[in-house]
Amino acid sequence: MPAVVVGPAWSTEAVPFVDKGRFPLGVESATLSNVRRLVPLVNMGTAHARYYLLHAVLAADSPAGPGEVIPLDVAFERVRRAEVILAAASLRHASAHGMPSLYRNPHGARVVAAELAQGVFDIAEVAESYSQQNGGFLSVYRGVEISAGLLDPADGTFRAGPVSLPESALAALRVVLAAAEEECLTDTHVDQLLPDACICRAGTGAEAELLSEILFGCGDVELPVAPKPVQRARMRTAATAQLLLHALEGADPAITPRAAMSGICFDDPTRLADLGVAHLTNWALSWRGTLLRNASVTAWRWLWWWLTEEIAARPRSREEIGTALADALVKGAGRDGNAVELLSAELPPHRDGARILDVEDRLLYPDGTATNDPWRLLQVIMLGVNRLTELDGRAWHAFIESGELGPSYVREWLASATHMSVSELGRDLADRLLRQAKEISRRRIRWEAGRLRIPTRLRELGDVLDLAGQEGSVAPGLRLDRLRQILAELGYLTVSGETLAVSRWLP
Ligand SMILES: [Zn+2]
């Protein structure tokens, strides 16, 4: 087979070509596994609760796949048309929404808003352009909708799963589906569909109860008994939701869900007992381990970002980039000297007696904004070694979740580096980061249309490292922002005066 090497790769015959090397160090898998377990029914992309119902109803109405009633592309076309109606209606209804951030930006908002502004639009045409994906935003929700029992898990199908929905709760959604059959819509026509066709409809009445049952198993609605894995997924999502509600109650609306969870999960366990949720103690410990490991994952990710930003600013050799990181670390440490000793001496107090303090969060976000100081990032990574022996039970299990450059790796690395100065450690670290990224990229090599594709943004031209495009600095998602959004959409969380208030508790 002819081998054509495409991509910047680690090859000298690189064609300028950008392939998003997603998760370039492979460190994120630990966080992704943890949150999949802790919040199985919400993910990073699931922005609005109503899409769960919309997709479930469409799958039941137009089953496609093996033994199909209609072909998959026709079923996807129906999804796309319905999502366009939902977006158009939600945009027209925006001024009626109380909390400013609530029900904002339905999927495809930018394209649909531009079409709406013209007064009349062709549904088929907008359905072509509002999303790059065949099934519209179904691709974002499909995984969690399968876990919720709403969709059939078989590949290449779009059929209802074991959890069937009562027609009595779906009258408003039928308005969306009927409008999706039209050819053209005017803004006046869209207004006539309100509020039934808007995503805010999920927050009231039958749909709110149905979604509470689907996501948390606590809606005031009768559904047939769900299969065990679906019940488990609901319980897990509900446990995190309940913790998050307690964490957010009375807080400043600007607080990040991550910071709020840190507050409640690092608190004395008696606080949970005082709140009447002592049964969530183990759950809070799992979150504690998850947050700490995620801090380490984030620190690695940001170190890589720092390194690639340096390369983007000025392409240079491995040695030069090693020196740049060494210099930055010495600057952060205040002087050069034995690295492990300086790191240990400068670690902030990370426990108070038996109590674990979440200093990792404060190191990563001093004053609430993300740090760009490699020394601080290295401190976070080093703290992970201490956490290995300080944590136990659920917290420890979540903390050691498998993933690249985990705490055991760091322990071995630092044990082998006891003789190194800060600048030597910096050069060693740069070398390790570059090797790790190369290794991850090598593992992801794949054949595509007869060509070898090597996903990476980094390319080596002779001795010089260069970057194609830009590495993101986004920390891996804990799914908490989306969970908070959905809790607000379903009426569990509101803003009352200057603080957040829980308007409904999970039982
Ligand atoms: Zn609305």
Side-chain angles (χ1 to χ4, degrees), residues 89-97 102-103 194-201:
S90 306
L91 289 165
R92 291 293 293 177
H93 204 227
S95 57
H97 299 150
L102 212 51
Y103 309 120
L194 297 175
D196 280 351
C198 178
I199 50 174
C200 72
R201 205 63 169 75

Side-chain angles (χ1 to χ4, degrees), residues 283-314:
W283 209 252
L285 287 173
S286 291
W287 268 107
R288 185 186 290 184
T290 297
L291 292 171
L292 288 175
R293 179 60 183 277
N294 188 55
S296 164
V297 164
T298 305
W300 279 114
R301 192 70 182 77
W302 289 356
L303 269 176
W304 178 247
W305 175 47
W306 187 93
L307 207 71
T308 54
E309 285 291 290
E310 286 286 310
I311 294 170
R314 184 168 64 81

Side-chain angles (χ1 to χ4, degrees), residues 152-502:
D152 187 322
D155 283 345
T157 68
F158 181 55
R159 290 181 302 198
V163 173
S164 56
L165 307 181
E167 193 56 39
S168 58
L170 304 174
L173 264 179
R174 292 285 169 207
V175 172
V176 178
L177 301 189
E181 305 277 317
E182 305 280 334
E183 265 184 37
C184 287
L185 274 185
T186 62
D187 46 8
T188 326
H189 189 171
V190 175
D191 290 346
Q192 288 162 2
L193 307 174
L194 297 175
D196 280 351
C198 178
I199 50 174
C200 72
R201 205 63 169 75
T204 52
E207 285 191 23
E209 294 306 323
L210 188 52
L211 279 160
S212 289
E213 183 64 23
I214 287 169
L215 296 174
F216 312 123
C218 70
D220 184 13
V221 60
E222 284 287 322
L223 287 186
V225 176
K228 279 279 185 308
V230 172
Q231 290 183 31
R232 218 164 22 239
R234 288 175 182 167
M235 277 169 52
R236 289 167 174 270
T237 308
T240 296
Q242 207 174 359
L243 262 184
L244 185 60
L245 287 176
H246 279 290
L248 290 171
E249 198 195 19
D252 184 323
I255 194 172
T256 65
R258 174 189 47 74
M261 279 297 256
S262 163
I264 202 163
C265 295
F266 285 81
D267 216 328
D268 195 295
T270 56
R271 163 126 181 255
L272 291 176
D274 292 345
L275 291 168
V277 286
H279 63 284
L280 292 179
T281 303
N282 274 335
W283 209 252
L285 287 173
S286 291
W287 268 107
R288 185 186 290 184
T290 297
L291 292 171
L292 288 175
R293 179 60 183 277
N294 188 55
S296 164
V297 164
T298 305
W300 279 114
R301 192 70 182 77
W302 289 356
L303 269 176
W304 178 247
W305 175 47
W306 187 93
L307 207 71
T308 54
E309 285 291 290
E310 286 286 310
I311 294 170
R314 184 168 64 81
R316 56 193 108 168
S317 69
R318 263 163 198 282
E319 289 69 30
E320 286 172 308
I321 198 68
T323 303
L325 182 55
D327 292 349
L329 286 177
V330 170
K331 189 170 167 229
R335 64 188 170 90
D336 207 351
N338 183 280
V340 174
E341 280 170 22
L342 269 176
L343 270 169
S344 310
E346 292 207 359
L347 282 186
H350 55 285
R351 50 189 300 170
D352 178 10
R355 199 175 142 206
I356 306 273
L357 303 176
D358 186 12
V359 286
E360 280 88 335
D361 200 56
R362 271 169 266 158
L363 285 166
L364 290 174
Y365 302 92
D367 317 317
T369 45
T371 183
N372 188 26
D373 176 359
W375 180 251
R376 277 177 178 272
L377 298 175
L378 195 54
Q379 281 182 314
V380 171
I381 287 168
M382 168 145 187
L383 269 169
V385 179
N386 300 48
R387 300 308 194 190
L388 267 178
T389 50
E390 290 171 357
L391 298 174
D392 54 17
R394 298 289 185 100
W396 184 79
H397 275 288
F399 184 70
I400 60 152
E401 179 61 52
S402 111
E404 297 292 321
L405 309 181
S408 309
Y409 169 94
V410 178
R411 183 175 56 191
E412 280 171 36
W413 170 43
L414 292 179
S416 73
T418 47
H419 62 284
M420 287 187 193
S421 66
V422 175
S423 44
E424 284 166 342
L425 192 77
R427 278 188 283 272
D428 185 49
L429 177 57
D431 194 50
R432 281 170 184 263
L433 285 165
L434 291 167
R435 266 189 287 138
Q436 175 70 13
K438 184 174 182 176
E439 166 62 19
I440 291 294
S441 144
R442 195 187 59 76
R443 275 189 232 162
R444 292 184 185 150
I445 289 175
R446 63 191 185 275
W447 284 100
E448 230 175 67
R451 296 179 132 194
L452 196 62
R453 174 175 278 223
I454 308 174
T456 173
R457 289 188 190 283
L458 209 56
R459 51 184 170 184
E460 203 162 12
L461 305 163
D463 285 346
V464 177
L465 292 168
D466 191 12
L467 198 70
Q470 197 184 20
E471 287 284 13
S473 64
V474 180
L478 292 166
R479 304 186 174 191
L480 294 173
D481 291 287
R482 294 309 198 185
L483 180 60
R484 169 184 162 160
Q485 165 80 13
I486 282 180
L487 283 167
E489 286 199 352
L490 297 185
Y492 287 84
L493 195 64
T494 54
V495 177
S496 165
E498 303 281 291
T499 59
L500 289 168
V502 175

